[in-house]
Amino acid sequence: MPACSIVFDCGKTRLKASLIDAQGRILAQQQTDSMMADLPPYPHLRVDDVWQWLLNVLTDFARLEADIRCIIPVTHGATAAVLAGDRLAFPVMDYEWILPESADSDYEALARDYSLTGSPALPAGLNLGRQLYWLRQARDFRNVTAILLYPQYWAWRLSGVMASEITSLGCHTDLWNIAENRMSSWLERLDIARLFPALRPAWDRLGPILPAVAARTGLPPECMVVNGIHDSNATYLRYLAAGAAANATAISTGTWVVVFAGGADPRRLDPARDMLANIDSFGKPVPCARFMGGREYEAIAGSSSVSRQAGFAEIQSIIDSKAWCWPSFAPQGGPYRQHTGSIQGDAAAVPLACLYLALLTEDVVRRFETHGDVYIDGPFAANAAYTGILAALLAPRRVFISDDIQGTTLGAWLLGQPSLHATLPALQVVSPWALNGLADYQSTWRAGVAQRDAVLSASA
């Protein structure tokens, strides 16, 4: 009976649970759409429905012939559960909700210090601190007993043990002072800092599953619950643990495309371009940038399946005909989030989306002026047009993709292993697509974007 771990990946678009053996092989996996409620008092996550789905999946996995040793939660960022005892004080807010103006009137002056936090001002609730500030001002906080970051909320529901963890606490939240390695001072002034449990490493085993969870699912009572991690950081951990070069760039793809620029100069960070300092699982700040790639792809291509293939000839036809896709189709984030996306010319939607996203990714990577190898992980790694065009745009840098696209899942899986050391996933070098006129097309695209930038700045 093989020793196994379960990774529960609570993404913005999909929920996924994976049963993985000690060699990192996925033995079973179940997925469903994320569960959101666009209902009062504000759009929120249907955590009780997620919990029932998770318990059902754990029950299915428990019936398999496997020795399940631990459960590891991994989730998207910008999300927290505010508790009153053993229940939610308020629904878990959907970070895409546009908060009332009152959330911004005083918050920016109170909390924004990019030099200390590495956290830029972001729209909606993408700065977790803004969500908490609004809740603190608009709701009765007298009965609040704890604030749990989202991976640790699920760890608590499974184990009954509360903890915090640095990757979720430090991802564009305004909550963590990178310069002084402590909670932001404004939290203390609002009497919120005390509500966060003590920090524990992502790989800490908090304790066994609750007896009620064991009885409901059939999992062994000694199955341990691991503290958990922010999803993009789980992907980055996979390469860190394998000893990737210090100047390597890791690109985590999915709903968000997040670029981790190892070895980049932090002074290159520009908050206006959605560039920020994430904190890796070892507590080290890492220069990053991001945009909502999955959402942009869906808006252009009319499909959320980013692995849909586009042929070389289709991309060449777009370049030859001078059809264009201009940013941005996802105002929630990215270097051009204030732009309004548009399409110029006649081109098939899927190839145009692949070309556009490759241009946008290169634009983000280029800003860091690093020169090491580039690793692409997640759903976009299966899109041959995207990776081939990006490899051409980044040449002579080498671009790698892994044989699987489970970077987040397998990065989280490492947290449950006796050692974080791992070999690099099976990699293949991406052959750049030799498209005629690509360099000129890119130059024209950059100039067009810069012109739109100038128009926006002049009208601001």
Side-chain angles (χ1 to χ4, degrees):
M1 198 182 294
C4 293
S5 307
I6 293 173
V7 172
F8 170 46
D9 179 358
C10 189
K12 191 64 170 68
T13 303
R14 300 284 288 172
L15 305 175
K16 180 168 63 177
S18 308
L19 180 67
I20 309 173
D21 71 11
Q23 285 72 49
R25 294 174 299 204
I26 297 175
L27 306 180
Q29 193 170 76
Q30 293 192 34
Q31 301 185 54
T32 191
D33 291 338
S34 293
M35 300 175 187
M36 307 286 181
D38 191 6
L39 297 168
Y42 44 74
H44 56 273
L45 284 60
R46 290 162 34 211
V47 294
D48 287 336
D49 291 338
V50 174
W51 178 242
Q52 291 305 315
W53 178 85
L54 177 60
L55 291 176
N56 290 337
V57 174
L58 295 179
T59 301
D60 290 343
F61 287 171
R63 295 190 181 113
L64 303 176
E65 292 187 2
D67 177 15
I68 299 173
R69 304 283 183 86
C70 66
I71 304 172
I72 306 129
V74 53
T75 81
H76 58 78
T79 305
V82 181
L83 301 182
D86 61 356
R87 61 179 178 81
L88 288 175
F90 321 111
V92 177
M93 189 181 297
D94 178 359
Y95 66 61
E96 293 189 70
W97 182 50
I98 306 298
L99 280 79
E101 289 185 9
S102 59
D104 283 325
S105 58
D106 299 317
Y107 176 78
E108 284 299 308
L110 176 72
R112 181 72 47 225
D113 193 334
Y114 187 75
S115 65
L116 294 180
T117 65
S119 178
L122 298 174
L126 280 163
N127 294 124
L128 179 57
R130 182 177 285 105
Q131 295 181 36
L132 297 176
Y133 176 79
W134 180 79
L135 285 170
R136 179 73 173 80
Q137 303 304 103
R139 296 289 187 269
D140 186 351
F141 246 63
R142 286 176 296 179
N143 295 324
V144 171
T145 55
I147 299 174
L148 297 181
L149 300 155
Y150 205 35
Q152 288 68 56
Y153 170 72
W154 294 112
W156 168 71
R157 290 201 69 162
L158 289 162
S159 70
V161 178
M162 293 187 179
S164 297
E165 192 276 327
I166 195 62
T167 60
S168 294
L169 188 60
C171 63
H172 54 82
T173 62
D174 300 333
L175 303 178
W176 189 253
N177 184 327
I178 293 171
E180 300 175 8
N181 202 35
R182 63 175 180 83
M183 298 288 284
S184 297
S185 59
W186 69 270
L187 289 172
E188 297 168 358
R189 295 200 296 274
L190 288 179
D191 198 28
I192 293 178
R194 64 180 177 82
L195 297 172
F196 287 84
L199 277 171
R200 295 178 65 169
W203 52 83
D204 257 18
R205 297 187 173 217
L206 301 183
I209 57 173
L210 290 165
V213 174
R216 164 67 171 80
T217 63
L219 288 172
E222 63 274 15
C223 177
M224 299 295 288
V225 179
V226 177
N227 196 16
I229 191 169
H230 171 231
D231 53 9
S232 297
N233 270 284
T235 302
Y236 188 53
L237 174 63
R238 192 182 187 202
Y239 295 99
L240 283 181
N247 66 343
T249 294
I251 304 176
S252 170
T253 69
T255 303
W256 288 93
V257 171
V258 184
V259 175
F260 287 78
D265 185 344
R267 291 173 296 183
R268 298 208 61 77
L269 292 176
D270 180 356
R273 298 300 181 188
D274 207 351
M275 301 172 78
L276 59 142
N278 271 321
I279 304 178
D280 69 26
S281 50
F282 303 103
K284 179 183 176 182
V286 184
C288 293
R290 29 167 249 154
F291 61 93
M292 219 167 187
R295 197 64 58 77
E296 296 229 32
Y297 181 94
E298 185 174 2
I300 301 162
S303 168
S304 60
S305 178
V306 299
S307 62
R308 288 179 62 188
Q309 299 300 314
F312 182 96
E314 293 175 295
I315 303 297
Q316 187 64 66
S317 175
I318 294 172
I319 294 172
D320 293 342
S321 67
K322 299 295 189 293
W324 305 95
C325 192
W326 305 106
S328 171
F329 295 84
Q332 295 92 334
Y336 305 112
R337 61 183 182 270
Q338 284 127 0
H339 292 216
T340 299
S342 63
I343 293 172
Q344 178 183 342
D346 186 18
V350 169
L352 187 63
C354 296
L355 176 57
Y356 164 75
L357 287 167
L359 288 164
L360 187 55
T361 305
E362 188 280 336
D363 181 279
V364 169
V365 171
R366 171 175 48 88
R367 295 176 185 278
F368 290 107
E369 296 190 356
T370 54
H371 305 286
D373 292 338
V374 177
Y375 302 99
I376 306 174
D377 217 314
F380 279 64
N383 187 311
Y386 170 81
T387 58
I389 299 165
L390 184 57
L393 295 171
L394 290 173
R397 299 177 73 170
R398 295 186 303 172
V399 174
F400 294 87
I401 58 173
S402 57
D403 286 345
D404 61 74
I405 59 170
Q406 304 273 3
T408 297
T409 295
L410 293 176
W413 164 81
L414 281 173
L415 300 175
Q417 301 312 298
S419 169
L420 286 179
H421 177 71
T423 56
L424 276 170
L427 299 172
Q428 62 184 76
V429 179
V430 178
S431 297
W433 280 19
L435 294 153
N436 294 325
L438 178 61
D440 289 341
Y441 184 93
Q442 179 190 34
S443 296
T444 304
W445 184 83
R446 284 181 182 174
V449 172
Q451 183 178 29
R452 285 164 171 75
D453 249 350
V455 170
L456 273 177
S457 297
S459 62

